[in-house]
Amino acid sequence: PLLLSLLLLLSLLLLLLPQVMMVPYNQLDPDSSFATAFTQAGMPWAQYLVALGATLGIMTGVLVGVMGVARIVTSMARTHLFFPIFGKIHDRFGTPMWATLFVTIAALPLCILTDLPALVNMVSAGTLMVFGVVALALIWKRIIQPKAPFRSNTKPFAMMFFLTAACIGKALCGGCGVCGTAGACG
């Protein structure tokens, strides 16, 4: 964890220092600071390279997400928790073709009909929830019940159900205005 933290700090410094050296900090645009810094420094052509890199980064993130969820769907299908066709692997490529198609087609309407900032927030919250549930499940399995068989999963299921319900409740309350602050619940 220490090395990872140091590498993240180094990456942050390598990203922020050139921007602050090119343009004063108070003149950076909060929406597109890197591209704007190049434009204000007299290199407007570089904003297109930054935009291309950002677009490729977003596309890579989406493809990695689809591949990860397709692997989960494949595992679920192999353990008979989902339709068996989604557990089949392509003969030539060795990839879960049907699961990947299913996940892509299922996510397509959400991607098309949702504005980008809301979609980014949903992906971030979903990723955080997945990592949190996996971390709690590992703690439960390794520390609390290290020798218990997988059949005794009533309590972990209840805990994960509670976490999922809490996340869904928070997402639904996010813009309801019940607390009087119109979306700042919590």
Side-chain angles (χ1 to χ4, degrees), residues 25-110:
Y25 180 74
N26 58 356
Q27 293 179 3
L28 288 173
D29 182 18
D31 293 329
S32 62
S33 60
F34 212 60
T36 307
F38 279 110
T39 304
Q40 290 178 357
M43 295 182 279
W45 55 269
Q47 71 179 350
Y48 299 111
L49 291 177
V50 171
L52 178 66
T55 304
L56 292 175
I58 290 171
M59 289 173 49
T60 302
V62 169
L63 289 175
V64 166
V66 166
M67 288 174 51
V69 175
R71 271 30 179 211
I72 293 170
V73 168
T74 301
S75 297
M76 289 174 61
R78 288 182 173 182
T79 56
H80 305 290
L81 295 173
F82 207 54
F83 301 111
I85 191 168
F86 297 120
K88 293 185 179 180
I89 303 296
H90 193 274
D91 294 331
R92 181 175 171 205
F93 300 115
T95 58
M97 181 183 74
W98 294 110
T100 305
L101 283 174
F102 170 74
V103 168
T104 304
I105 291 171
L108 193 61
L110 181 68

Side-chain angles (χ1 to χ4, degrees), residues 153-170:
N153 55 5
T154 306
K155 288 181 183 178
F157 177 76
M159 182 189 324
M160 289 179 204
F161 177 78
F162 174 73
L163 282 171
T164 305
C167 289
I168 290 172
K170 174 66 178 166

